């Protein structure tokens, strides 16, 4: 999926860079022609045939590059979303229905952890801190002070209730 999407975007980037290069060359040629002419009536052909089209190519190249990079970013987000959806368990295979098990949070551990420098506190089996050696237990003083927010993934506020 990613390679086919990026192959369609990749030519946009090449076209953008080519347009930028051609525009720069035309602007340089136009400037060189204008700088060698003393009279304005002799400068106008260089302005009309090189400098103005060169500037238009520069703008077109910038637009193509911006569109190409935006399309690449959209393809990456789409790929990551596909990976996220693929990682979720299938309800039919897991046997989960519409009962209370379907709405249970991902993490159910009572131990609370945080990552130094982080702004969230998590349950120990939260996917965001599971397996991280730098995760440390949460100090009750930090919880009381409100410096840390509960993780929206594992919903640790339910663990303290």
């Amino acid at each position: 999926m990613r390679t086919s999407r990026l192959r369609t975007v990749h030519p946009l980037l090449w076209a953008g860079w080519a347009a930028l290069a051609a525009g720069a060359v035309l602007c340089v040629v136009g400037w060189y022609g204008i700088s060698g002419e003393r009279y304005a009536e002799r400068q106008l052909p260089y302005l009309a045939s090189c400098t103005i089209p060169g500037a238009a190519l520069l703008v077109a190249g910038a637009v193509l590059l911006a569109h190409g990079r935006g399309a690449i970013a959209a393809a990456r987000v789409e790929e990551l979303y596909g990976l996220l959806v693929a990682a979720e368990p299938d309800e039919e295979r897991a046997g989960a229905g519409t009962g209370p098990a379907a709405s249970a949070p991902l993490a159910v551990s009572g131990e609370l952890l945080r990552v130094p420098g982080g702004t969230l506190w998590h349950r120990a089996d939260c996917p965001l801190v599971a397996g991280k050696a730098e995760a440390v237990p949460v100090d009750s003083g930090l919880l009381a002070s409100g410096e840390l927010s509960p993780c929206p993934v594992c919903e640790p506020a339910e663990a303290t209730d």
Side-chain angles (χ1 to χ4, degrees), residues 33-56:
I34 288 173
S35 67
E37 296 295 333
R38 183 174 183 183
Y39 300 104
E41 60 271 4
R42 294 180 125 188
Q43 294 175 354
L44 287 177
Y46 289 107
L47 183 67
S49 66
C50 291
T51 308
I52 293 175

Side-chain angles (χ1 to χ4, degrees), residues 7 10-11 16-17 36 47 50-51 59 62 66 68 71-72 75 100 104 113 116 128 148 157:
R7 285 184 185 159
H10 196 64
W17 284 113
L47 183 67
C50 291
T51 308
V59 170
I72 285 176
L113 298 175
L128 299 177
L148 299 176

Side-chain angles (χ1 to χ4, degrees), residues 119-141:
T119 59
L120 300 174
W121 49 289
H122 311 266
R123 294 182 186 191
D125 53 347
C126 177
L128 299 177
V129 295
K132 292 196 176 188
E134 65 268 12
V136 295
V138 174
D139 182 21
S140 59

